[in-house]
Amino acid sequence: MKGKWIYIQSQSLNQRVAFDENTGWLFCEDGTKYSPKEIKKITQDWKEAKELPLQVHIIKKAFSGTIVTAGKQ
């Protein structure tokens, strides 16, 4: 299945992100990627994913980690 890509400039991350509507994966220009499960844990809707919390992104990138839970701030 070919990807159906949407490219967005993220203001919070200060970079372009690409979202594949077919798979639900989000790829950042800096190489960080988010699975559909991770996106669901930190946003209500994939459209909100373009403005991911910068702190979450920095930690995920630094540790090449997987988001397993998200708490309320």
Side-chain angles (χ1 to χ4, degrees):
M1 175 172 19
K2 202 171 187 181
K4 184 176 178 186
W5 295 98
I6 296 174
Y7 298 91
I8 307 160
Q9 179 65 32
S10 172
Q11 299 301 315
S12 63
L13 303 181
N14 194 29
Q15 61 183 298
R16 281 180 47 132
V17 297
F19 180 77
D20 184 343
E21 285 190 319
N22 290 335
T23 65
W25 279 83
L26 183 113
F27 296 85
C28 299
E29 199 171 41
D30 66 5
T32 308
K33 55 189 171 187
Y34 292 84
S35 72
K37 288 181 182 181
E38 291 175 304
I39 296 296
K40 286 180 184 176
K41 288 181 177 147
I42 55 179
T43 65
Q44 297 294 323
D45 180 333
W46 74 263
K47 293 174 187 168
E48 295 174 13
K50 69 179 181 174
E51 299 307 333
L52 294 170
L54 182 57
Q55 299 86 350
V56 171
H57 181 76
I58 290 169
I59 292 168
K60 178 171 174 57
K61 181 179 166 114
F63 294 101
S64 299
T66 301
I67 298 170
V68 293
T69 188
K72 303 261 184 209
Q73 292 191 27

